[in-house]
Amino acid sequence: MSLNKIEAARGWRIRSTQDLAAGLFMIALAGLALFLSRDLATGTLRQIGPGMLPKAFAWICAGLGALLAFNSLRYNGEKLAGWSWRGVLFVLGAAVVFGLTIRGFEIGPLKVPQLGMLVSGPLVVLISGLAAEDVRLKELVIFAIAMTTGCALLFKYALGLPIPLAPWLLGI
């Protein structure tokens, strides 16, 4: 009996639990995005509404997730293994720090002033960079400076978005 006939005789079974889990996660994420954007008007292709992009990306994510889950039944792959919580904590923590420091906030007695992109940008790169186990501080600092400069040039000057750069120093 040939190998192809043996594989066909086994029928549909999960051959890659990692791909199946990733596909189901993408479908769940798409469902959450569709649920959260349900009140946004989609509009038409001639007059795009605020819900068009999030809903389109959600459907694309769901389709790719379904394809990934389906392929987990067809192709052999990796088994689901644990993941590094270090990466999750540092990357999500960096996003939270950026959101809280870019424009500042006040909750009861806790007050953080508006720091702007010149402080928040390097902070997010440095904190999220700690998610890697083989991080080199010198390279991370250089990357933080380059990314902050690029983001400031792109968002503040090229796109003209009202993002504060350094309100505590320059007033901009």
Side-chain angles (χ1 to χ4, degrees), residues 19 33 35 53 71 75 77 93 98 100 102 104 112 148 150 152-153 158 163 172:
D19 288 347
F35 175 75
L53 189 64
N71 280 339
Y75 302 109
F98 180 79
L100 293 176
I102 187 82
V112 172
T148 302
L153 292 173
I163 294 177
I172 57 170

Side-chain angles (χ1 to χ4, degrees), residues 14 24 32 85 88 127:
I14 299 170
L24 294 176
L32 178 67
W85 285 103
V88 173
I127 294 171

Side-chain angles (χ1 to χ4, degrees), residues 27-86:
I27 292 170
L29 187 66
L32 178 67
L34 287 170
F35 175 75
L36 293 175
S37 65
R38 70 187 182 282
D39 294 335
L40 297 175
T42 305
T44 64
L45 289 178
R46 288 183 180 259
Q47 190 173 5
I48 295 176
M52 177 75 77
L53 189 64
K55 290 177 184 177
F57 280 148
W59 282 111
I60 291 169
C61 184
L64 292 174
L67 184 65
L68 190 59
F70 177 71
N71 280 339
S72 74
L73 302 173
R74 297 179 59 207
Y75 302 109
N76 293 329
E78 304 272 334
K79 291 188 176 191
L80 186 61
W83 57 83
S84 170
W85 285 103
R86 176 183 177 157

